[in-house]
Amino acid sequence: MLVGMAVLGLLRGAVGLGLSYERDPELAYLLMAFDMSVGMAVWMRYRGHGWARTLEMCGAMFAPVLPLFPLLWLDVIDGMDLMMIAHVAMLPLMLIVMLWRRDEYATCAD
């Protein structure tokens, strides 16, 4: 996840497509979640996980914003709050996916 975020984020910034959480919080978060999902998907596929499980895990990266975007639009939270809350929420969501699919994640996929 971190490699995807770093590499794709740097590439986007290098071509002048960097986004601000203050100016474009929705798009900035969605692009960062996409970047992290790409990195995670590459690693999961390399480790032998199927597309269904890989996309399921990637969904956990995007799911936290469903209740947060309306809070952002109502000015209850700002762009930085969105990013922080979503990042904190995505970790337990990913854990829930792993526990739900315990057989998939408890064994080595080599």
Side-chain angles (χ1 to χ4, degrees), residues 14-58:
V15 297
L17 297 176
L19 296 171
S20 163
Y21 281 100
E22 293 79 30
R23 190 182 65 241
D24 303 304
E26 299 96 333
L27 189 54
Y29 179 81
L30 291 173
L31 282 174
M32 184 175 11
F34 174 80
D35 294 347
M36 291 190 297
S37 294
V38 168
M40 181 174 56
V42 168
W43 184 249
M44 286 182 71
R45 294 294 295 157
Y46 173 77
R47 297 283 297 154
H49 295 278
W51 276 113
R53 300 301 170 250
T54 300
L55 294 174
E56 192 173 75
M57 189 62 77
C58 290

Side-chain angles (χ1 to χ4, degrees), residues 53-88:
R53 300 301 170 250
T54 300
L55 294 174
E56 192 173 75
M57 189 62 77
C58 290
M61 311 283 281
F62 290 91
V65 297
L66 295 177
L68 294 177
F69 276 172
L71 295 176
L72 178 72
W73 300 330
L74 294 170
D75 289 326
V76 175
I77 61 174
D78 63 15
M80 192 54 71
D81 292 335
L82 170 80
M83 192 263 308
M84 296 300 292
I85 295 168
H87 276 80
V88 169

Side-chain angles (χ1 to χ4, degrees), residues 47 104-110:
R47 297 283 297 154
E104 172 88 13
Y105 295 100
T107 59
C108 183
D110 288 339

